[in-house]
Amino acid sequence: MAVRERAGVWFREEKRTRRPRLTRERIIEGAVALLDADGVDGLSMRRLAARVGAGTMSLYEYVASKEDVLDLALDAVMAEIEPAEVPDADAGWRAALAVQATRTREVMRRHPWMVVLLGTRPLLGPNFLLRSERFYAILVRAGLDGRPLIAAVNAVFSYVHGFVAAENAWRGWVRGPGDEAELRRRAQEHLDALADRYPTLARHAQLDYADFDGGFELGLKIVLDGVAARLAGPGAGADEHRTRA
């Protein structure tokens, strides 16, 4: 598939219609509502048309396909992530990235379908690019460039994406705090009973630990510790940059 076709809506000019019975914004609002309610599999052009009170074919005056709708909906909810400010001093990078990662998690929890789409779409919309620009700028200000910069961005993004994917899946499966506590208790008891076979897991896995917020913050700290260690090293990645150049 050609790059232009794969990038879809971001490489095409918006259609202008003579009779603006709808707007693209209204269509995307309806799409986000459907995605929040029923996920990616629950979105169809027919259901979207019913949601906005229009005929299915009317939608195609504003978007070329369902794929366009998904791209536009994903970028629309990206606007809910307030972009972090680039700190004036190099030392502020860590707090800025922590704020951005925490805000991203909050929005991905609010819209669980984001986890499904991120990583599978051409993320070229204005809302995503603004937040990506800030993210890169924070790390560049801190002293990274070249391949270490890309690796650091990917490490933080992959951590947030993976954590929320697991968190959303678990939250969608358990029926409430009581159910969760019981499942965790039974899982830990099962592991304890197999301690002779899995002694390290039985002692350290802590399956009864249910603090997602605390776990996220600690895991993010460990990831950022790795970035900090890289920044503290000789050259902070200049060798890799020169090799690529």
Side-chain angles (χ1 to χ4, degrees):
M1 181 180 293
V3 172
R4 187 178 181 86
E5 294 175 353
R6 182 67 186 88
V9 67
W10 307 122
F11 285 0
R12 292 194 301 270
E13 293 184 4
E14 183 177 355
K15 293 181 179 180
R16 303 294 180 182
T17 61
R18 295 180 180 178
R19 294 176 297 166
R21 298 181 302 277
L22 293 172
T23 62
R24 178 176 277 186
E25 289 73 19
R26 183 180 164 198
I27 291 170
I28 299 311
E29 287 175 4
V32 169
L34 284 175
L35 288 163
D36 286 347
D38 300 315
V40 175
D41 291 340
L43 178 68
S44 69
M45 297 300 274
R46 179 184 59 79
R47 292 192 67 201
L48 178 56
R51 176 89 189 189
V52 299
T56 302
M57 295 309 297
S58 298
L59 300 183
Y60 293 102
E61 297 180 28
Y62 302 86
V63 292
S65 65
K66 177 182 173 180
E67 296 302 304
D68 281 9
V69 172
L70 292 173
D71 288 338
L72 290 162
L74 181 58
D75 196 63
V77 295
M78 284 287 179
E80 298 177 22
I81 306 171
E82 183 181 351
E85 296 297 328
V86 180
D88 294 332
D90 296 348
W93 69 268
R94 186 173 184 128
L97 288 190
V99 167
Q100 188 77 358
T102 300
R103 290 172 180 171
T104 301
R105 175 185 171 229
E106 291 170 355
V107 174
M108 291 172 70
R109 289 277 297 116
R110 194 153 60 239
H111 305 289
W113 51 272
M114 290 178 68
V115 173
V116 179
L117 296 184
L118 285 169
T120 66
R121 320 296 304 175
L123 300 175
L124 297 172
N127 291 319
F128 178 83
L129 291 179
L130 172 59
R131 284 141 188 84
S132 185
E133 168 70 19
R134 294 284 181 86
F135 206 89
Y136 273 75
I138 291 166
L139 284 169
V140 169
R141 173 69 63 87
L144 284 180
D145 65 359
R147 282 181 285 181
L149 169 63
I150 304 302
V153 170
N154 288 339
V156 177
F157 175 80
S158 296
Y159 169 71
V160 176
H161 184 273
F163 187 97
V164 179
E167 182 180 14
N168 284 348
W170 176 255
R171 297 295 188 198
W173 190 59
V174 299
R175 292 188 293 270
D179 183 48
E180 178 178 12
E182 177 65 13
L183 284 170
R184 289 184 178 279
R185 183 189 65 77
R186 293 179 63 183
Q188 186 62 52
E189 287 181 352
H190 177 72
L191 200 54
D192 291 342
L194 298 173
D196 57 336
R197 190 180 306 177
Y198 310 110
T200 306
L201 285 175
R203 183 175 180 181
H204 296 286
Q206 298 183 19
L207 298 184
D208 53 351
Y209 180 74
D211 183 6
F212 277 99
D213 293 339
F216 178 81
E217 292 174 6
L218 180 56
L220 181 61
K221 180 180 182 299
I222 291 171
V223 173
L224 296 181
D225 283 347
V227 177
R230 183 71 195 192
L231 285 167
D239 289 342
E240 288 86 346
H241 182 70
R242 285 196 297 269
T243 299
R244 185 180 66 171

